[in-house]
Amino acid sequence: MSEPKPPTPTPGDTYKGWLFKWTNYIKGYQRRWFVLSNGLLSYYRSQAEMGHTCRGTINLATANIAVEDSCNFVISNGGAQTYHLKASSEVERQRWITALELAKAKAVHMQAESDDSGDECPAAPPSSGQGGGCRNLEIQSTLRTLGSKVEDLNTCNDLIVKHGSALQRSLSELEALRVSGDVGDKMKQVTERATLFRITSNAMINACRDFLSLAQSHSKRWQKALHSERDQRIRLEETLEQLAKQHNHLERAFRGATVLPSSFSNPALGNKGGVSGKGDASDEDDDNEFFDAMEDPAEFITVPADPKYHRRSGSNVSGFSCETGMDDQSVNFDELSLASNPESPQTLELEPVRQRRTRIPDKPNYYLNLWSIMKNCIGKELSKIPMPVNFNEPLSMLQRLSEDLEYYELLDKAAKCQSSLEQMCYVAAFTVSSYSTTVHRTGKPFNPLLGETFELDRLKDCGYRSLCEQVSHHPPAAAHHALSEKGWTLRQEITLASKFRGKYLSIMPLGSIQCLFDKSENHYSWKKVTTTVHNIIVGKLWIDQSGEIDVVNHKTGDRCHLKFAPYSYFSRDVPRKVTGVVTDKDGKAHYVLSGTWDEKMEFSRIMQSSKGENGTEGKQRTVYQTLKAKEIWKKNPLPEGAENMYFFSSLALTLNESEEGVAPTDSRRRPDQKMMEDGRWDEANAEKQKLEEKQRIVRREREREAVKAASTPEEAVTEDSINDSPLKTDGVETGTEASEVSDESAHPDNYQAMWFDKFDDPASGETLHVYKGGYWEAKEQGSWDMCPEIF
C-alpha cells in the first residue's frame, strides 16, 4: 500500500516525508524520515525517533540545492555536510524542491533581517548554556547603555532648567532698564545665555534621538528573542508530552513482555523505542557520519509463558525431559541447599580464617607524556613497546588471570546441578563474571618473567587453590590450574595478541579455558572475547568487551552462545550488554541469559518457542515463551576508596599481600612490582630494567646451550648469529620481557615449564599446558631447590 502524498507546501509550513539517503557503496540508499522546519532540514531513521534522536541537520540558509535527474537531488552547505537524496517519484521530488527553495528563501530573508538589526547572538534558541549566557550578557549591556542615556537626559534637563531661569532673569532685567550705556552689556549677557540654552537643548534633543533609536532597535531584537523563546518552550512541551507517552508505553510493554533480541532489546519495544546498531559499525563514513548504523535484526524475542506453565512440573510439558523440565523453583532450592550444606568448609572449619588486607597505598599522581612514548609504536605488538611502570598496575598478568576466580561460587553451584543445561547457565555466568573486574582497570599488568609463578591458596576459606606459571615467551603464554573441594577443576592457557591502533588498543586473548566437573564428568571449554582500550592518546581511558563466546559441553553436546555487544554512543540499549541462549545437542533452546558484563546476569527457562515475523533484513526471528527471569550473578561492590587504589576489587587487594612459604618465583616476590605498590615508582622503573637485562642474559645463555646441543649443521645456530640477533635492541619490554627476538621461529624458548606439561585434549582437540603436580607438595616440604632464580 502506497503512502499518502503530503500536500504541496506553502511558505512557513513544516514539511515531512520519506526520502532515500545515500550512505555508502555497500548499503546504497537507505530510507529515512525527513523534516523541514524553520529553515532546517533534519532526518531520522523513523517517525518515532523525532521525539528523542536526530540523525543530522543542515541549515538551508547557507545550503545549495541541485537537481541531478528525475528523482535525485543534492543538498550541500559547501562543507562536510552533503546529502544525496532520492524521492520515490519525479512529482515527489518536485514537491521537496519547492519546499526546500521556499524554506531557503525565508531563511535567507530572516538572516538578512537579523544582520540588519545588529544581532550579536543568533535569533534561534540556543542549544546550550553558552547561547543563553550570550543573550543575558547582551541584555545587561543594553540596560547599562539605556541607563547611561537616561542619566544624560536628566543632566540635560537640569542644565535646561538652570540656563532657562538665568535667561528669564536677564530678560526681566532688560525690560527694567532705561535706555542707557548699560544696555549693551545686558544684551551681550542675554545673548550668551540664549546661546547656552540653545546648546543644551540641542544636546538633549540628540540624547533623546539616541535613546529612541536604541529603544527601537532593541525592541525588535527582544521581540524576536521572545518569539524564539516561546517557540522553544512549545517544542519542549511537545517533546515532554511525547516522552511521557513513550514512558507510559514502555511501562506497559515491560509489564507485558520481556524483550531480548541479539542486542538485548526488541526494536519495537526496546529502551526508548530503541533500535540496536551493529556496535560501532556504520553505513556512513566512519569518522564523519556513523549515525545511520543499520540495525541487527532481532534474533529472538522472549515473552512470558502461559501461567499454566508456572503450575506444571517439567514432566508435563511437551518436549522437555524430566531432567531439564524441573519446576522453576528448583533454582532456589539449589541455592538454599548450597547455603545450608553441612559439608561446606565454612561449617566444618574450626580454625580462625585469616584476615586479609583491605587497603594498599594510594596511587601516586605521576605525570607522563603518553604520546611521546606511543607515537612511534603504532601497529606494533604491545609486548614490543617499552613501557614504564607509570602505565602499569601493581599486579602481574598471572595475578590478573587468577582474578577470574573472583566469583568461584558460580562453579560451586554448578557442581551441584543435576541438569547439565542448568549447569551450563552457571558456567556461562562465570564466563561473563570474569570481565566485571576490568571495567575501570585501565592500568597494564606487569608482564611475567619466564618461569614466574603465582599461587592463590584459598583452600581454608573458599575451598579452592590455584597456580599460574609463565610457560612461554614466544608467544608469551601463561598456564593456570585451579582445583576446588566442591568438585570442579578450571584450567586455562592464555596468550595475548595486542595491537596499538592510534585511537585505541585491541587485546585479543588466544588459547582455551576448560572447566571439568567430577560428579557429572561434564567437560566445558570456551575462549575469551576481545578487549578494547579507547582514548589511548586523548581523553579519558575506557574499556569495552566485544565479540562472541561459545561455551561447549563436550560430553553432552550442549552449547551456550554468548554475545558481547560493543558499546555505541548512539545506541539506546543498555551499555555493556550480554545475551545468550543455551541449547542442547539437537539445537533446541532451553534457557535464555541476559544482562551486562559489569553488573549482573539473569536467566529464564524457555517453555515454548515459535518462529516469529521477519526482522529488518528479512531474517525470521524466534519467539521464546519463558518463565520469570531469575538473577544468577551480581557484581560485588568495590571497596571504599577503590578509585585511589587502581579500582582493585576486594580479591585484587589481597593478591600482592606477602605470604610465607610461597615459591621464590612467586609474583609477590617481584621487587619492581612491590616498589610500585609502595609508591616508589622511580625505583621500580630502575629495578624493572635490571630484571629485563637479567632475563636477556639468561635467554642468551639458554640459546648458546641449544647451539652446543644441536646434532646437525642444519639445526645448529652459530654464536655469531645469536650475538647479532635483535636481542640487543634497546627499549624492548621483556617479560613478555624476552620479546626482544623478532623472529620467533629462529629463536625458540627452549624452556621446560616447572609445573605444567603440554597436553593434547582429546575432548576439545586443543593443545594446552596442564598442571602435572608437585607444587603443593614442594610447598609443604619447603623444598624449592628446583626453582630458577629469576628475581
Side-chain angles (χ1 to χ4, degrees), residues 408-428:
Y408 67 93
E409 301 97 336
L410 292 170
L411 296 182
D412 290 348
K413 295 177 182 179
K416 290 188 171 293
C417 290
Q418 300 297 322
S419 165
S420 62
L421 292 167
E422 186 179 336
Q423 187 179 72
M424 173 68 81
C425 293
Y426 283 99
V427 174

Side-chain angles (χ1 to χ4, degrees), residues 58-66 74-78 83 101 104:
I58 191 169
N59 189 352
L60 294 178
T62 58
N64 295 321
I65 304 172
V74 179
I75 302 175
S76 174
N77 63 359
Y83 295 168
E101 292 291 353
K104 178 181 178 180

Side-chain angles (χ1 to χ4, degrees), residues 472-650:
S472 172
H473 277 313
H474 294 291
H480 181 208
H481 178 86
L483 181 65
S484 172
E485 291 181 336
K486 295 295 183 67
W488 55 265
T489 301
L490 183 73
R491 61 192 187 193
Q492 55 182 322
E493 181 176 340
I494 298 297
T495 300
L496 296 181
S498 52
K499 289 291 184 181
F500 174 54
R501 302 297 186 185
K503 291 182 180 179
Y504 61 90
L505 177 71
S506 294
I507 303 172
M508 294 76 70
L510 309 176
S512 175
I513 307 172
Q514 299 184 355
C515 186
L516 297 85
F517 293 93
D518 300 340
K519 184 178 179 180
S520 63
E521 296 183 352
N522 287 330
H523 183 172
Y524 297 87
S525 70
W526 66 91
K527 299 180 184 295
K528 288 182 174 287
V529 296
T530 299
T531 299
T532 306
V533 184
H534 295 270
N535 294 342
I536 291 293
I537 303 302
V538 178
K540 183 179 180 180
L541 292 176
W542 61 279
I543 291 178
D544 192 26
Q545 314 286 350
S546 60
E548 298 181 0
I549 296 178
D550 280 316
V551 185
V552 181
N553 186 340
H554 297 285
K555 178 184 176 183
T556 63
D558 301 338
R559 183 181 297 267
C560 178
H561 180 75
L562 294 170
K563 181 176 180 180
F564 290 65
Y567 176 81
S568 175
Y569 179 80
F570 298 99
S571 174
R572 293 167 304 283
D573 291 325
V574 177
R576 308 181 183 98
K577 56 188 174 295
V578 181
T579 56
V581 179
V582 176
T583 58
D584 58 21
K585 63 180 179 179
D586 299 323
K588 183 178 180 180
H590 292 265
Y591 289 92
V592 292
L593 295 97
S594 63
T596 59
W597 55 262
D598 67 324
E599 285 296 337
K600 66 178 181 178
M601 290 292 292
E602 296 178 340
F603 76 126
S604 307
R605 176 172 296 150
I606 299 173
M607 307 312 295
Q608 282 187 347
S609 63
S610 60
K611 294 295 182 182
E613 60 182 8
N614 291 343
T616 54
E617 295 182 1
K619 295 182 179 180
Q620 199 170 37
R621 297 178 295 182
T622 302
V623 178
Y624 295 130
Q625 292 185 1
T626 66
L627 297 179
K628 184 179 179 181
K630 291 185 176 294
E631 186 176 270
I632 191 172
W633 163 75
K634 185 175 182 179
K635 179 185 176 182
N636 297 328
L638 290 175
E640 184 179 357
E643 64 277 3
N644 300 321
M645 299 183 293
Y646 308 90
F647 286 98
F648 281 177
S649 64
S650 298

Side-chain angles (χ1 to χ4, degrees), residues 345-558:
Q346 289 84 347
T347 306
L348 294 176
E349 185 58 59
L350 299 178
E351 298 180 7
V353 178
R354 173 180 174 178
Q355 294 297 321
R356 303 188 181 273
R357 67 182 184 181
T358 57
R359 286 199 63 84
I360 61 173
D362 288 351
K363 177 182 179 182
N365 186 17
Y366 279 82
Y367 172 76
L368 192 65
N369 187 356
L370 176 63
W371 178 243
S372 64
I373 296 175
M374 304 290 283
K375 63 182 179 180
N376 297 322
C377 304
I378 296 178
K380 294 183 180 179
E381 282 282 347
L382 181 63
S383 61
K384 299 181 183 297
I385 300 177
M387 284 285 188
V389 301
N390 303 55
F391 300 116
N392 287 20
E393 62 179 17
L395 290 179
S396 73
M397 188 62 202
L398 302 180
Q399 291 166 314
R400 284 291 293 269
L401 205 58
S402 301
E403 281 191 72
D404 286 358
L405 297 170
E406 172 103 10
Y407 300 95
Y408 67 93
E409 301 97 336
L410 292 170
L411 296 182
D412 290 348
K413 295 177 182 179
K416 290 188 171 293
C417 290
Q418 300 297 322
S419 165
S420 62
L421 292 167
E422 186 179 336
Q423 187 179 72
M424 173 68 81
C425 293
Y426 283 99
V427 174
F430 174 79
T431 301
V432 176
S433 71
S434 63
Y435 297 98
S436 63
T437 60
T438 66
V439 62
H440 300 298
R441 301 274 289 278
T442 56
K444 172 183 174 293
F446 278 78
N447 292 320
L449 303 174
L450 186 61
E452 186 175 334
T453 62
F454 177 73
E455 69 165 68
L456 184 62
D457 191 350
R458 295 291 191 270
L459 198 60
K460 293 183 179 180
D461 44 355
C462 300
Y464 74 88
R465 58 187 181 184
S466 77
L467 176 67
C468 292
E469 181 181 357
Q470 186 75 1
V471 296
S472 172
H473 277 313
H474 294 291
H480 181 208
H481 178 86
L483 181 65
S484 172
E485 291 181 336
K486 295 295 183 67
W488 55 265
T489 301
L490 183 73
R491 61 192 187 193
Q492 55 182 322
E493 181 176 340
I494 298 297
T495 300
L496 296 181
S498 52
K499 289 291 184 181
F500 174 54
R501 302 297 186 185
K503 291 182 180 179
Y504 61 90
L505 177 71
S506 294
I507 303 172
M508 294 76 70
L510 309 176
S512 175
I513 307 172
Q514 299 184 355
C515 186
L516 297 85
F517 293 93
D518 300 340
K519 184 178 179 180
S520 63
E521 296 183 352
N522 287 330
H523 183 172
Y524 297 87
S525 70
W526 66 91
K527 299 180 184 295
K528 288 182 174 287
V529 296
T530 299
T531 299
T532 306
V533 184
H534 295 270
N535 294 342
I536 291 293
I537 303 302
V538 178
K540 183 179 180 180
L541 292 176
W542 61 279
I543 291 178
D544 192 26
Q545 314 286 350
S546 60
E548 298 181 0
I549 296 178
D550 280 316
V551 185
V552 181
N553 186 340
H554 297 285
K555 178 184 176 183
T556 63
D558 301 338

Side-chain angles (χ1 to χ4, degrees), residues 52 69 73 86 93 146 225 257 414 495 508-509 528 542 617:
H52 50 78
D69 53 30
F73 58 99
K86 181 171 67 174
R93 186 217 64 185
L146 292 176
T495 300
M508 294 76 70
K528 288 182 174 287
W542 61 279
E617 295 182 1

